[in-house]
Amino acid sequence: MQRPFAPPGTKLNFTGDRPIRVDHVRLELELDLAGKSLNGIATLTLVARRGQVTSFVLDAVEMEIQAISLDGQPAAFDYDGEKLRIRLAQPLAGDSRIRAEIRYRCSPRRGLYFMGPDAGHPDRPLQCWSQGQDDDSRHYWPCVDAPIEKFSSEILCTAPAGNFVLSNGELRDRRDVPGGKTRWHYALDFPHPAYLVTLVCGPFVEIKDRAAKTGVDVYYFVAPGREADGRRSFGRTPEMIDYFSQVIGVPYPHARYSQIAVPDFIFGGMENTSAATLTDLALLDERAALDHDVEALVSHELAHQWWGDLLTCREWSEAWLNEGFATYFEYVWREHAKGRDEADVELLADAENYLNESGRYQRPVVCRQYDEPIHLFDAHLYEKGGRVLHMVRHELGDEQFWRSLKFYAETHARKSVETRDLARAIETVTGRGLDGLFDRWITRPGHPELEASWEWDDDRKLGTLRLAQKQAITPELPPFQFTTAVRFEVEGQERDERVAVTDAVHAFEFRLPGRPTQVVFDPGDVVLKSIKMEKSRPLWQRQLAAARLGVDRILAAAGLAKQVDPESVKALAAALRDDRFWAVRASAARALGRMRRADAVDHLLAAAADPHPRVRRAVAAGLGEQRDNQRVAEALARWLEKGDPSYFVEAEAAHSLGRTRSPLAIATLPSLLGRRSFQDVIRTRTLEGLGATGDERAMALLKAEWRPGGSFLARRAIVMAMAELGTGMPGARQARDFIEGCLDDDDFRVRAEAASSLARMGQVEAVPAIERARAAELDGRARRRMSDAIRDLQEGGRPIEQLKKAQDELDRLRADSASLRERIEKLEARLDSAGSLSPGTPDRGTPRKAKRPRPLTRRGPRPHRPVRR
């Protein structure tokens, strides 16, 4: 059920007055790693933007302010624990400069995170790392914590000897100082905002590389013993630097680029200027690299060095200009490195992530209404933003698209940007006015929700594509307008016809030489949309077998999954066996699984030895759709006993075994919990598999696996599994009590999942516990999920339990229905072969004529006849 992104009463956020400009920042920090604190001197060089400035305000949270001076003279100040107001003895004239020095001490709870030994990592050395986005730098140094304020910087960090320290820019000096310490001096002569200032300290080893074409020095820093994993994970960074410099047309802006992998990082990565921080969960071992890479993460953070660091969003409402661009450049790299088909798989996943989120809420991509900036960092910002850029690229064509981005980057380098700056750059270079596109797709919510059908009139050699936009259409939310193509295959030849979608309803007519064997609307899935396409099974089959683009064959497999009959099974089985692209074979496997037919299961079991691990993973997932199927459960159990070269295949098989709800699951899955794997994936999916069994005995197994400290991934999986076992089951109270105890877990991701799980269970009694957890929560993402959980429970409550029971019954009925259809088909086949059909009975082997869709009411002028591209 959709709900507003921003609850009623949520404030609008605007950039406030800026009477001063920060020109340069010098931070002198002395770390106490054991005490989780620091002593600091922040020296800010400030410039008055106007005359008669008598005071200025810095963001500074939970600090002990010891002394403040202005140009060497003591200054008066007021401090409330969040805002530091410094008063000037004499008003500043316009353009005059002043040097403010703040001496302080703090034990930050955000912004700078201290790591050390704990229950899960008794041997972990003392270390720390910063994370400033979106407005957390204020927790460890006094600053103007807004993306629009950019300055050059110096970091002088004194840390215990034997540690490595990384910050922005060039290492100017490193020297030993008294007390067994070392002082590191980094400097960056490049304007950047407070959230991109970085500091990492710990026992890291250095791996040096170099970009061949641009000459950029590239560094990877990892924990001792992880050097091979670091090279394996980050080794293509030099190629990425060279390629992005070439395709953007603006060279990488710095002399060096560093990536450092740290423990327990709260994001996947962070694009600090010239020195990205990444989670050490991204470090691939040899086995994980069989069917996984982190090139999307690496290319995303690197792309930010242009989109976010060289050009920075003016305010957080415009953050898609950072994140949407970086997300799309994951596609740009994948397309270059592995080809369009591989890249389109990632783009399809982006669309699915956004569409899933849009089912919960829809908001404008550029959105001023939010409680905390971090709430904006969702699939609308990343995935929808990236998909809109993909549409712009196809609208302009490659040559004009890349010329426009080069002009945009050069014009606004080292500055702040808004969406209109991008639109003006495109208009300047190409003459194309895309204000309407950005207005509808970026500044207003939603996406086209299409219903389409294809009809063919053989006598007139005329095809009709009926198209309707079914999303809410109002004066504030007009129909989406876009151009795309319809791809036909006629007499073995492919042809594209362009269509312009401008209204809520269209009926496009195409005069063709003969009946088309393929009809593909929006080939390549360029337009971000949801679509229900009604066309005959032969058209889906031909698209699956022969479409030129992999993504179109993938979508054909999904289309055939809805036509549960022997011919569709046959077509999907052929794709699973023969398609040259692993992602099409994987899509066919998932489609066969959803059909829940015995013949489909036969094909899945036969494909369990596919050479590509991602196909085997999809086969395992498809087998998991077969509830109460002992044959499938036994096959999965044998697969797990034998093992698989891929961590991820074993993990998926474990989860699927639980989903079958066979008694074999409880007997088999506990033996897998000790298997070590990349990102603990086997253990986490096994835990989720135990939750899927529906067997109350699994609760005791899950409780026994709870470990304080260690991987948050496993603890989060236990919470999810307990919630699944407790929803609509007699053990609901037991599960609720356990999950409530997880609301004070050490990791915010576990706390957030605990709140969401209680909401999914419909446990209204848990609202007070979630409210207490929210009041103590520091992480904005967790606070939002807790607020959503409270709202869900207060508005919905117990019906979730009924929904769970209804879903279980629906799954059972679907399985029974598939089995019954299969038995009827077999009986009909025996009757046909025995010649017992009466003379007037139609041949069931002949495809039925597709049901003619109800004509759509046309609005506006009669649609034009499309022309060729």
Side-chain angles (χ1 to χ4, degrees), residues 243-305:
Y243 182 63
F244 285 174
S245 296
Q246 170 199 328
V247 74
I248 296 170
V250 176
Y252 172 77
H254 312 289
R256 62 181 279 167
Y257 181 59
S258 300
Q259 292 170 103
I260 190 164
V262 305
D264 287 352
F265 196 55
I266 60 174
F267 292 99
M270 181 61 211
E271 66 273 14
N272 310 301
T273 315
S274 79
T277 305
L278 301 103
T279 172
D280 64 0
L281 292 174
L283 294 175
L284 298 165
D285 63 29
E286 198 168 3
R287 186 178 171 193
L290 290 174
D291 58 335
H292 187 69
D293 65 58
V294 292
E295 291 182 18
L297 174 63
V298 173
S299 59
H300 181 106
E301 304 309 335
L302 173 62
H304 271 308
Q305 300 300 316

Side-chain angles (χ1 to χ4, degrees), residues 643-654:
D644 191 278
S646 164
Y647 290 132
F648 301 96
V649 174
E650 283 191 20
E652 198 63 50

Side-chain angles (χ1 to χ4, degrees), residues 192-211:
H192 64 150
Y195 81 91
L196 292 175
V197 171
T198 185
L199 178 67
V200 181
C201 173
F204 297 94
V205 294
E206 175 188 294
I207 304 166
K208 188 172 181 180
D209 210 338
R210 188 175 179 84

Side-chain angles (χ1 to χ4, degrees), residues 98 171 550 569 692 742 820:
I98 192 167
L171 178 61
V569 170
C742 302
L820 180 60

Side-chain angles (χ1 to χ4, degrees), residues 493-539:
Q493 299 296 313
E494 185 182 280
R495 58 191 287 174
D496 285 358
E497 300 282 357
R498 299 293 291 174
V499 294
V501 176
T502 57
D503 299 321
V505 178
H506 283 283
F508 297 106
E509 295 181 343
F510 305 87
R511 195 167 298 280
L512 302 169
R515 179 187 293 271
T517 52
Q518 276 195 77
V519 178
V520 183
F521 176 74
D522 187 28
D525 193 39
V526 173
V527 179
L528 177 61
K529 63 188 177 301
S530 64
I531 184 168
K532 297 177 182 177
M533 182 73 184
E534 185 176 333
K535 60 185 181 183
S536 66
R537 186 182 64 217
L539 289 175

Side-chain angles (χ1 to χ4, degrees), residues 151-183:
F151 45 82
S152 57
S153 65
E154 291 178 84
I155 307 289
L156 292 84
C157 179
T158 302
N163 287 292
F164 170 76
V165 170
L166 178 67
S167 190
N168 311 91
E170 296 296 320
L171 178 61
R172 286 190 176 173
D173 185 43
R174 180 178 61 191
R175 65 180 61 182
D176 293 332
V177 296
K181 298 179 180 180
T182 303
R183 189 180 76 167

